[in-house]
Amino acid sequence: MTSTEAAAIALQDHAALWSMGEICASDVVNAGCDALVAGLDTPGLRMLAACTRAEADYDVHDLLPAALDELGLAFYPVGSEAGQEASARALARRMLAGELTPPGVHLPDPPAPRT
């Protein structure tokens, strides 16, 4: 998988998670920035990535659908069944990548450094 493909998947996952209320809008903006750095580039993606943290909560709702459409990615309306399924897949990917642990699972603390 190329870095642009990985960035597109990450942006799609962030969009799905945001539409289900799992992550905040600024996380979507950060994924947009990462997508630009990886080589994806459309006018809508540039506008999304240009949002400040303060603007994200107000602007992502309007900017995200166009940015995803320009990249050939799906936008899931808030609370939609398709969005719930996409969000579940995104959470599963994050768990398998070690970025997320299942609820109720407590990993041991890393050993203290030796002195």
Side-chain angles (χ1 to χ4, degrees):
M1 176 181 321
T2 67
S3 63
T4 55
E5 290 170 333
I9 291 169
L11 180 60
Q12 180 75 80
D13 285 353
H14 279 78
L17 291 168
W18 173 78
S19 72
M20 295 302 115
E22 295 291 330
I23 62 172
C24 63
S26 63
D27 291 336
V28 177
V29 172
N30 289 339
C33 292
D34 292 343
L36 279 174
V37 170
L40 296 174
D41 189 13
T42 67
L45 183 59
R46 281 183 247 136
M47 289 178 63
L48 177 67
C51 285
T52 66
R53 288 177 193 244
E55 296 168 336
D57 288 333
Y58 303 103
D59 292 343
V60 165
H61 188 270
D62 294 327
L63 298 173
L64 186 58
L68 294 175
D69 184 59
E70 291 170 355
L71 294 166
L73 302 174
F75 173 74
Y76 301 104
V78 173
S80 68
E81 186 174 325
Q84 291 172 353
E85 291 172 4
S87 182
R89 284 191 301 274
L91 288 171
R93 263 192 290 279
R94 291 175 82 180
M95 191 176 302
L96 291 172
E99 300 170 7
L100 185 67
T101 57
V105 174
H106 301 285
L107 299 176
D109 291 331
R114 294 182 184 175
T115 55

